[in-house]
Amino acid sequence: MKMNRSPVAVFLLGAVLLTSVLVLGTNLENVRVSAGYACYVYARPILGKSAFEKVIFGPASTGLRWRLEGQRVSITPYTYSEKFEADSAILAKDKLPLSSQAHVVWRLKPDEASVRRFMEEFGGWDNTTDPDKISRESYDQFIREPFRTLTRSVVAQYNGLDVNESLSKVSEEIERGLQILLGNTPFEVMSVVMGNSSPPQ
């Protein structure tokens, strides 16, 4: 026996199928992360608050999942330099002002606990989702001033004309001190290098 389907029933069936495809298509996500980055993955329910799912490390992806999103952050080391010159020159033990540069290599610790803590307690969110911008802001907010203060403090233990003879020791002292200061944060200080110091002309 042949079944007759009314045009209305066919239209309704088509509308339901189209709606289902649209709903699935706009709510299924495959969160991807490339090498050198981590991704804080969270679920976005239609009702209620977003909730943490997991951290993945690149290269990786979650596969198609229902209403997932992710914020990428860099776990690659960054090198930033601080200049001390003119009005910001470092004052040595003998009150001689020194112009110099100090360089720090640091990164976000590459483990799930640190990435999650960074996102949830250290404001790792950014609307542009640019990991390099997030890292720069993190340095400016949490590392720059302790680094500058510690550099001044260590150099101030040496007479001005003796600093260049002790650059290796000065660098080690700054590095060790900065590691202690940031020990209870998600950031890892990998090395510090103090540049040559110049007294006034």
Short mmCIF file of all heavy atoms in Angstrom, two decimals, residues 93 102-104 146-159 162-163 165-182 189-194:
data_model
loop_
_atom_site.label_atom_id
_atom_site.label_comp_id
_atom_site.label_asym_id
_atom_site.label_seq_id
_atom_site.Cartn_x
_atom_site.Cartn_y
_atom_site.Cartn_z
N LYS A 93 76.98 50.29 44.68
CA LYS A 93 77.26 50.40 46.12
C LYS A 93 77.96 51.71 46.45
O LYS A 93 77.71 52.32 47.49
CB LYS A 93 78.11 49.21 46.54
CG LYS A 93 78.40 49.13 48.03
CD LYS A 93 79.20 47.88 48.33
CE LYS A 93 79.47 47.75 49.82
NZ LYS A 93 80.27 46.52 50.09
N ALA A 102 69.40 44.23 31.29
CA ALA A 102 69.29 42.89 31.86
C ALA A 102 68.25 42.13 31.03
O ALA A 102 67.25 42.70 30.59
CB ALA A 102 68.87 42.96 33.32
N HIS A 103 68.49 40.84 30.82
CA HIS A 103 67.64 40.04 29.96
C HIS A 103 67.13 38.83 30.76
O HIS A 103 67.91 38.16 31.45
CB HIS A 103 68.40 39.55 28.73
CG HIS A 103 69.24 40.62 28.10
ND1 HIS A 103 68.74 41.54 27.22
CD2 HIS A 103 70.56 40.93 28.25
CE1 HIS A 103 69.69 42.36 26.83
NE2 HIS A 103 70.82 42.02 27.45
N VAL A 104 65.83 38.54 30.64
CA VAL A 104 65.25 37.39 31.33
C VAL A 104 64.57 36.48 30.32
O VAL A 104 63.90 36.95 29.39
CB VAL A 104 64.25 37.85 32.43
CG1 VAL A 104 63.08 38.65 31.85
CG2 VAL A 104 63.72 36.65 33.22
N PRO A 146 59.24 43.04 39.61
CA PRO A 146 60.14 42.25 40.46
C PRO A 146 61.52 42.08 39.84
O PRO A 146 62.54 42.13 40.54
CB PRO A 146 59.43 40.90 40.59
CG PRO A 146 57.99 41.22 40.37
CD PRO A 146 57.96 42.34 39.38
N PHE A 147 61.56 41.89 38.52
CA PHE A 147 62.84 41.73 37.81
C PHE A 147 63.67 43.00 37.90
O PHE A 147 64.87 42.96 38.23
CB PHE A 147 62.55 41.37 36.35
CG PHE A 147 63.76 41.22 35.47
CD1 PHE A 147 64.91 40.60 35.94
CD2 PHE A 147 63.73 41.67 34.16
CE1 PHE A 147 66.03 40.45 35.12
CE2 PHE A 147 64.83 41.52 33.34
CZ PHE A 147 65.98 40.92 33.81
N ARG A 148 63.06 44.15 37.66
CA ARG A 148 63.79 45.42 37.71
C ARG A 148 64.27 45.71 39.14
O ARG A 148 65.40 46.12 39.37
CB ARG A 148 62.91 46.57 37.20
CG ARG A 148 62.67 46.53 35.69
CD ARG A 148 61.87 47.73 35.22
NE ARG A 148 62.61 48.97 35.40
CZ ARG A 148 63.46 49.48 34.51
NH1 ARG A 148 63.68 48.84 33.36
NH2 ARG A 148 64.08 50.62 34.74
N THR A 149 63.38 45.50 40.11
CA THR A 149 63.72 45.78 41.50
C THR A 149 64.87 44.89 41.98
O THR A 149 65.81 45.35 42.64
CB THR A 149 62.48 45.57 42.40
OG1 THR A 149 61.44 46.45 41.97
CG2 THR A 149 62.80 45.83 43.86
N LEU A 150 64.79 43.61 41.63
CA LEU A 150 65.82 42.67 42.05
C LEU A 150 67.16 42.98 41.37
O LEU A 150 68.22 42.89 42.00
CB LEU A 150 65.37 41.25 41.70
CG LEU A 150 66.15 40.10 42.33
CD1 LEU A 150 66.16 40.21 43.85
CD2 LEU A 150 65.55 38.78 41.91
N THR A 151 67.12 43.38 40.11
CA THR A 151 68.36 43.74 39.40
C THR A 151 69.04 44.92 40.09
O THR A 151 70.26 44.90 40.34
CB THR A 151 68.04 44.10 37.93
OG1 THR A 151 67.46 42.96 37.29
CG2 THR A 151 69.31 44.51 37.18
N ARG A 152 68.26 45.94 40.44
CA ARG A 152 68.83 47.09 41.16
C ARG A 152 69.42 46.66 42.51
O ARG A 152 70.51 47.10 42.90
CB ARG A 152 67.75 48.14 41.40
CG ARG A 152 67.28 48.85 40.15
CD ARG A 152 66.19 49.88 40.49
NE ARG A 152 65.73 50.55 39.30
CZ ARG A 152 66.38 51.51 38.67
NH1 ARG A 152 67.55 51.92 39.13
NH2 ARG A 152 65.88 52.07 37.59
N SER A 153 68.69 45.80 43.20
CA SER A 153 69.11 45.37 44.54
C SER A 153 70.43 44.59 44.49
O SER A 153 71.32 44.79 45.32
CB SER A 153 68.01 44.52 45.16
OG SER A 153 68.42 43.97 46.37
N VAL A 154 70.57 43.70 43.51
CA VAL A 154 71.78 42.88 43.41
C VAL A 154 72.97 43.74 42.99
O VAL A 154 74.06 43.66 43.58
CB VAL A 154 71.57 41.71 42.42
CG1 VAL A 154 72.90 41.01 42.13
CG2 VAL A 154 70.55 40.73 42.97
N VAL A 155 72.80 44.59 41.97
CA VAL A 155 73.90 45.43 41.50
C VAL A 155 74.35 46.39 42.59
O VAL A 155 75.55 46.71 42.70
CB VAL A 155 73.49 46.19 40.22
CG1 VAL A 155 74.56 47.21 39.81
CG2 VAL A 155 73.24 45.21 39.07
N ALA A 156 73.42 46.82 43.44
CA ALA A 156 73.75 47.76 44.51
C ALA A 156 74.69 47.17 45.56
O ALA A 156 75.21 47.87 46.41
CB ALA A 156 72.47 48.26 45.18
N GLN A 157 74.95 45.86 45.49
CA GLN A 157 75.88 45.22 46.43
C GLN A 157 77.33 45.30 45.93
O GLN A 157 78.26 44.88 46.63
CB GLN A 157 75.47 43.76 46.62
CG GLN A 157 74.09 43.57 47.21
CD GLN A 157 73.63 42.11 47.17
OE1 GLN A 157 74.46 41.21 47.14
NE2 GLN A 157 72.33 41.90 47.15
N TYR A 158 77.51 45.84 44.72
CA TYR A 158 78.84 45.89 44.11
C TYR A 158 79.25 47.35 43.85
O TYR A 158 78.40 48.19 43.56
CB TYR A 158 78.86 45.15 42.78
CG TYR A 158 78.61 43.67 42.89
CD1 TYR A 158 77.31 43.18 42.98
CD2 TYR A 158 79.67 42.77 42.88
CE1 TYR A 158 77.07 41.81 43.07
CE2 TYR A 158 79.44 41.40 42.96
CZ TYR A 158 78.14 40.93 43.07
OH TYR A 158 77.90 39.58 43.16
N ASN A 159 80.53 47.63 43.94
CA ASN A 159 81.03 48.92 43.52
C ASN A 159 80.90 49.02 42.00
O ASN A 159 81.02 48.02 41.29
CB ASN A 159 82.49 49.12 43.94
CG ASN A 159 82.61 49.35 45.44
OD1 ASN A 159 81.78 50.03 46.04
ND2 ASN A 159 83.64 48.79 46.04
N ASP A 162 83.32 47.39 39.61
CA ASP A 162 83.52 45.95 39.80
C ASP A 162 82.40 45.11 39.17
O ASP A 162 82.52 43.89 39.08
CB ASP A 162 83.58 45.61 41.30
CG ASP A 162 84.76 46.27 41.99
OD1 ASP A 162 85.76 46.54 41.28
OD2 ASP A 162 84.68 46.51 43.20
N VAL A 163 81.32 45.76 38.74
CA VAL A 163 80.16 45.02 38.26
C VAL A 163 80.50 44.18 37.03
O VAL A 163 80.16 43.00 36.95
CB VAL A 163 78.98 45.97 37.95
CG1 VAL A 163 77.84 45.23 37.26
CG2 VAL A 163 78.47 46.61 39.24
N GLU A 165 83.17 42.86 36.12
CA GLU A 165 84.02 41.71 36.43
C GLU A 165 83.22 40.58 37.08
O GLU A 165 83.71 39.46 37.20
CB GLU A 165 85.16 42.13 37.36
CG GLU A 165 86.11 43.15 36.74
CD GLU A 165 87.15 43.63 37.73
OE1 GLU A 165 87.16 43.12 38.88
OE2 GLU A 165 87.93 44.53 37.37
N SER A 166 82.01 40.89 37.50
CA SER A 166 81.20 39.91 38.24
C SER A 166 79.85 39.65 37.56
O SER A 166 78.89 39.27 38.22
CB SER A 166 80.94 40.42 39.66
OG SER A 166 82.14 40.79 40.31
N LEU A 167 79.79 39.85 36.25
CA LEU A 167 78.50 39.73 35.55
C LEU A 167 77.87 38.36 35.70
O LEU A 167 76.66 38.23 35.85
CB LEU A 167 78.67 40.07 34.06
CG LEU A 167 78.87 41.56 33.74
CD1 LEU A 167 79.04 41.75 32.24
CD2 LEU A 167 77.70 42.39 34.25
N SER A 168 78.69 37.31 35.66
CA SER A 168 78.16 35.95 35.78
C SER A 168 77.51 35.75 37.15
O SER A 168 76.40 35.22 37.27
CB SER A 168 79.28 34.93 35.58
OG SER A 168 78.79 33.63 35.76
N LYS A 169 78.21 36.22 38.19
CA LYS A 169 77.70 36.09 39.56
C LYS A 169 76.44 36.95 39.75
O LYS A 169 75.46 36.51 40.37
CB LYS A 169 78.78 36.50 40.56
CG LYS A 169 78.42 36.22 42.00
CD LYS A 169 79.57 36.58 42.93
CE LYS A 169 79.16 36.35 44.39
NZ LYS A 169 80.20 36.81 45.33
N VAL A 170 76.48 38.17 39.22
CA VAL A 170 75.31 39.06 39.31
C VAL A 170 74.10 38.42 38.63
O VAL A 170 73.00 38.39 39.17
CB VAL A 170 75.63 40.43 38.66
CG1 VAL A 170 74.36 41.27 38.52
CG2 VAL A 170 76.67 41.18 39.50
N SER A 171 74.32 37.86 37.44
CA SER A 171 73.23 37.21 36.69
C SER A 171 72.63 36.05 37.49
O SER A 171 71.42 35.90 37.57
CB SER A 171 73.74 36.70 35.34
OG SER A 171 74.22 37.76 34.54
N GLU A 172 73.51 35.24 38.09
CA GLU A 172 73.05 34.08 38.87
C GLU A 172 72.23 34.53 40.08
O GLU A 172 71.21 33.91 40.42
CB GLU A 172 74.24 33.24 39.31
CG GLU A 172 74.89 32.45 38.19
CD GLU A 172 76.16 31.75 38.64
OE1 GLU A 172 76.46 31.76 39.86
OE2 GLU A 172 76.86 31.20 37.76
N GLU A 173 72.68 35.58 40.75
CA GLU A 173 71.97 36.07 41.93
C GLU A 173 70.59 36.60 41.56
O GLU A 173 69.60 36.35 42.27
CB GLU A 173 72.79 37.17 42.62
CG GLU A 173 74.02 36.65 43.34
CD GLU A 173 74.79 37.76 44.03
OE1 GLU A 173 74.15 38.72 44.53
OE2 GLU A 173 76.03 37.69 44.07
N ILE A 174 70.51 37.34 40.45
CA ILE A 174 69.21 37.86 40.01
C ILE A 174 68.30 36.70 39.62
O ILE A 174 67.12 36.66 39.99
CB ILE A 174 69.38 38.83 38.82
CG1 ILE A 174 70.22 40.04 39.23
CG2 ILE A 174 68.02 39.29 38.31
CD1 ILE A 174 70.64 40.92 38.05
N GLU A 175 68.85 35.75 38.88
CA GLU A 175 68.05 34.60 38.43
C GLU A 175 67.50 33.82 39.62
O GLU A 175 66.31 33.50 39.67
CB GLU A 175 68.94 33.68 37.57
CG GLU A 175 68.22 32.45 37.06
CD GLU A 175 69.15 31.56 36.24
OE1 GLU A 175 70.00 32.10 35.50
OE2 GLU A 175 69.03 30.32 36.34
N ARG A 176 68.36 33.53 40.59
CA ARG A 176 67.93 32.76 41.75
C ARG A 176 66.87 33.52 42.56
O ARG A 176 65.86 32.96 42.98
CB ARG A 176 69.15 32.44 42.63
CG ARG A 176 68.88 31.46 43.75
CD ARG A 176 70.17 30.88 44.32
NE ARG A 176 71.14 31.92 44.70
CZ ARG A 176 72.30 32.11 44.04
NH1 ARG A 176 72.62 31.36 43.01
NH2 ARG A 176 73.12 33.06 44.43
N GLY A 177 67.10 34.83 42.74
CA GLY A 177 66.14 35.64 43.49
C GLY A 177 64.80 35.72 42.80
O GLY A 177 63.74 35.65 43.45
N LEU A 178 64.81 35.85 41.46
CA LEU A 178 63.56 35.94 40.72
C LEU A 178 62.81 34.61 40.74
O LEU A 178 61.57 34.59 40.82
CB LEU A 178 63.86 36.38 39.28
CG LEU A 178 62.68 36.91 38.45
CD1 LEU A 178 61.99 38.08 39.15
CD2 LEU A 178 63.17 37.34 37.07
N GLN A 179 63.55 33.52 40.70
CA GLN A 179 62.91 32.19 40.79
C GLN A 179 62.21 32.02 42.13
O GLN A 179 61.12 31.45 42.20
CB GLN A 179 63.95 31.09 40.57
CG GLN A 179 64.39 30.96 39.13
CD GLN A 179 65.58 30.03 38.95
OE1 GLN A 179 66.31 29.74 39.91
NE2 GLN A 179 65.80 29.57 37.73
N ILE A 180 62.83 32.54 43.19
CA ILE A 180 62.21 32.45 44.52
C ILE A 180 60.96 33.34 44.58
O ILE A 180 59.91 32.91 45.06
CB ILE A 180 63.22 32.86 45.61
CG1 ILE A 180 64.32 31.80 45.70
CG2 ILE A 180 62.53 33.04 46.96
CD1 ILE A 180 65.52 32.20 46.56
N LEU A 181 61.09 34.57 44.07
CA LEU A 181 59.96 35.50 44.10
C LEU A 181 58.75 34.97 43.33
O LEU A 181 57.60 35.17 43.73
CB LEU A 181 60.37 36.85 43.52
CG LEU A 181 61.18 37.79 44.41
CD1 LEU A 181 61.62 39.01 43.62
CD2 LEU A 181 60.37 38.20 45.63
N LEU A 182 59.01 34.28 42.22
CA LEU A 182 57.92 33.79 41.37
C LEU A 182 57.63 32.31 41.58
O LEU A 182 56.89 31.70 40.82
CB LEU A 182 58.26 34.04 39.89
CG LEU A 182 58.46 35.50 39.49
CD1 LEU A 182 58.89 35.61 38.04
CD2 LEU A 182 57.18 36.31 39.72
N VAL A 189 61.12 31.02 35.56
CA VAL A 189 62.28 31.80 35.11
C VAL A 189 63.38 30.82 34.73
O VAL A 189 63.84 30.02 35.54
CB VAL A 189 62.77 32.75 36.22
CG1 VAL A 189 64.04 33.47 35.78
CG2 VAL A 189 61.68 33.76 36.56
N MET A 190 63.81 30.87 33.47
CA MET A 190 64.77 29.91 32.95
C MET A 190 66.21 30.43 33.01
O MET A 190 67.13 29.67 33.27
CB MET A 190 64.39 29.51 31.52
CG MET A 190 62.96 28.98 31.46
SD MET A 190 62.41 28.58 29.79
CE MET A 190 63.24 27.02 29.56
N SER A 191 66.38 31.73 32.77
CA SER A 191 67.72 32.30 32.90
C SER A 191 67.64 33.82 32.93
O SER A 191 66.66 34.43 32.46
CB SER A 191 68.62 31.87 31.73
OG SER A 191 68.22 32.46 30.53
N VAL A 192 68.68 34.41 33.51
CA VAL A 192 68.84 35.87 33.54
C VAL A 192 70.27 36.19 33.10
O VAL A 192 71.21 35.51 33.55
CB VAL A 192 68.57 36.46 34.94
CG1 VAL A 192 69.01 37.93 35.00
CG2 VAL A 192 67.11 36.32 35.31
N VAL A 193 70.41 37.16 32.24
CA VAL A 193 71.75 37.60 31.81
C VAL A 193 71.85 39.10 32.01
O VAL A 193 71.06 39.86 31.48
CB VAL A 193 72.00 37.26 30.32
CG1 VAL A 193 73.36 37.81 29.88
CG2 VAL A 193 71.95 35.76 30.09
N MET A 194 72.85 39.50 32.80
CA MET A 194 73.11 40.91 33.03
C MET A 194 74.12 41.40 32.01
O MET A 194 75.18 40.78 31.82
CB MET A 194 73.67 41.11 34.45
CG MET A 194 73.83 42.55 34.86
SD MET A 194 72.24 43.34 35.15
CE MET A 194 72.74 45.07 35.19
#
